[in-house]
Amino acid sequence: MLTGKRILIGIGGGIAVYRVAELARLLMKQGAEVRCVMTKAAQQFVTPLTFEALTGEAVHSELFDLTAERTMGHIALARWADVLLLAPATANLLAKHAYGIADDLLTTLLQVREGPVLAAPAMNVSMWRSPATQANVAILRERGVSFIGPVAGALACGEEGEGRLAEPEAIVAALLPLVSEQKLAGQRWVINAGPTREGWDDVRVLSNRASGRLGVCLAEAAAAMGARVTLVAGPGTPASLAGFERVDVETAHEMQAACESLAKNADVFVATAAVSDYRFAAPVEGKIKREGRETLQAEFAANPDIVAGIAAMPERPRKVIAFAAERSDHVAHARDKLARKKVDAVVANDASRMGAATGSGWWVTVDKVVELPEADKAIFAQSLIEQIQAMGWKA
Ligand code: C5P
């Protein structure tokens, strides 16, 4: 998700520096180009060598370093970055930045910086709550600095409370909207995901192998691009730290109720969920006993088709997208579903790949079939969003 994005980490002097090493690794793993600036105090906790080894780039720390100024001066460094991430943002760094003090490389960079800045504070809980720090945070927020954390938990100083550096994954999630073009700003998306689960008795259920991962990836990517997203999640759908709403449901009927009420105000509805086509016709209270039977029969009743219902709503979302998991003739089946469910596009994929870590398939509309190559679900989700956007609609 961060492929090719340039992230400059401004590392302040706090014990949480050691956790920033893990964060730098995660950013690299996500495809970002990472450079680091360390304050003098930060170098008391971890040496620049650690960050040089992790990023493969020289760590910057001196304002008056002529060699560094010749290769990439401090102004160029501030402008190089797509986002400047302060981690850990100490009380001292926040105070200096709030008052425009520029007495070392990092605070000077902050003064020069015109693009997005994300601060991830970490400090003792009393220091965080102090009126001075809170006032400085308010000043910086007002000027457009974004904040992630601190979070509550055990602090390195032995105390408990709000002061821990946010988890690296949460910091990545907070970075995404800052580095992504806000192409979906103003749009409202509803996405359903995962399996549904239909109870037979108090312990037994009918469900399927869907993981819900693609729906989560779509929700994350659409939210990062500025959409207001609600994910209607079936059982087992993975958690996400990204900025979208989530409504948890269990049965197809619950999923239908949630989706229909949300879809009234939506621009886009994407039905990634593997909704159970059937439920038990007569669910049983208690637990069905085996009682010597070698076979057992159950009757099923058809569930509503959620996506077809939403496509038929008088005030339907502008774009409704369904999925089709098939074993053969994928595009032909997708075309059939496109007409039958009256949706705007169908993503055809292979049923055998349900629950896989990667996604692949065909994007099928009335006038177009696009083959979508196999890719990590996060990347696959991006290519689906591109196709949805390319359909366009009148405001
Ligand atoms: O008809 P089929 O189940 O193959 O269609 C799959 C598509 O329809 C998916 O987008 C799925 O979310 C949706 N669907 C639904 N309600 C159902 C069954 C499928 O919304 N009861």
Side-chain angles (χ1 to χ4, degrees), residues 192-194 196 252 255 269-278 302-310 321-326 337 340-341 343 345-347:
N192 68 11
T196 54
M255 187 173 270
F269 177 70
V270 191
T272 73
V275 184
S276 177
D277 285 320
Y278 292 95
N303 268 331
D305 189 318
I306 299 174
V307 75
I310 285 174
I321 292 99
F323 280 67
E326 305 288 348
K337 259 171 218 172
R340 201 156 33 86
K341 295 183 190 247
V343 293
V346 172
V347 182

Side-chain angles (χ1 to χ4, degrees), residues 39-327:
T39 63
K40 283 223 157 51
Q43 295 173 49
Q44 299 290 319
F45 290 94
V46 174
T47 67
L49 188 62
T50 303
F51 290 98
E52 297 202 357
L54 288 172
T55 63
E57 293 284 344
V59 167
H60 304 256
S61 55
E62 298 297 332
L63 183 57
F64 303 109
D65 177 342
L66 292 180
T67 317
E69 282 298 306
R70 265 196 302 275
T71 46
M72 188 183 284
H74 64 278
I75 300 204
L77 190 58
R79 293 191 178 142
W80 168 86
D82 292 315
V83 63
L84 200 167
L85 167 64
L86 282 182
T90 57
N92 184 45
L93 260 181
L94 295 174
K96 282 190 187 174
H97 188 33
Y99 285 91
I101 296 168
D103 63 354
D104 66 0
L105 179 61
L106 181 51
T107 48
T108 306
L109 284 173
L110 281 164
Q111 280 290 96
V112 173
R113 176 78 187 156
E114 284 170 354
V117 175
L118 175 67
M123 62 194 77
N124 168 275
V125 53
S126 302
M127 211 167 186
W128 171 249
R129 288 204 188 133
S130 74
T133 300
Q134 288 304 308
N136 294 333
V137 169
I139 290 173
L140 294 174
R141 274 193 205 279
E142 176 80 5
R143 284 187 206 148
V145 173
S146 305
F147 280 81
I148 173 75
V151 295
L155 305 178
C157 55
E159 293 180 25
E160 280 274 332
E162 203 184 3
R164 273 173 69 80
L165 186 75
E167 290 305 317
E169 291 76 11
I171 295 176
V172 170
L175 278 172
L176 283 173
L178 300 178
V179 297
S180 314
E181 247 188 281
Q182 301 295 286
K183 289 185 186 160
L184 308 182
Q187 295 184 21
R188 184 95 182 73
W189 284 47
V190 177
I191 299 165
N192 68 11
T196 54
R197 189 152 69 186
E198 308 290 342
W200 188 9
D201 62 12
D202 285 357
V203 291
R204 299 176 179 95
V205 295
L206 173 68
S207 191
N208 61 63
R209 298 182 209 278
S211 69
R213 251 182 62 76
L214 180 60
V216 171
C217 289
L218 269 170
E220 286 176 342
M225 292 166 81
R228 275 180 55 214
V229 180
T230 305
L231 182 75
V232 179
T237 299
S240 168
L241 295 161
F244 59 82
E245 256 183 358
R246 171 174 170 139
V247 177
D248 282 285
V249 295
E250 185 150 337
T251 65
H253 270 117
E254 284 171 17
M255 187 173 270
Q256 181 191 35
C259 290
E260 284 189 354
S261 91
L262 289 161
K264 281 183 193 133
N265 304 310
D267 297 295
V268 176
F269 177 70
V270 191
T272 73
V275 184
S276 177
D277 285 320
Y278 292 95
R279 65 183 184 280
F280 290 95
V284 174
E285 255 186 56
K287 185 178 170 210
I288 299 163
K289 294 255 178 314
R290 183 171 170 146
E291 283 169 354
R293 283 185 288 231
E294 284 312 309
T295 61
L296 183 58
Q297 299 221 329
E299 202 183 342
F300 297 97
N303 268 331
D305 189 318
I306 299 174
V307 75
I310 285 174
M313 281 173 24
E315 283 187 51
R316 90 202 266 285
R318 296 165 202 261
K319 297 294 166 201
V320 177
I321 292 99
F323 280 67
E326 305 288 348
R327 292 307 291 247

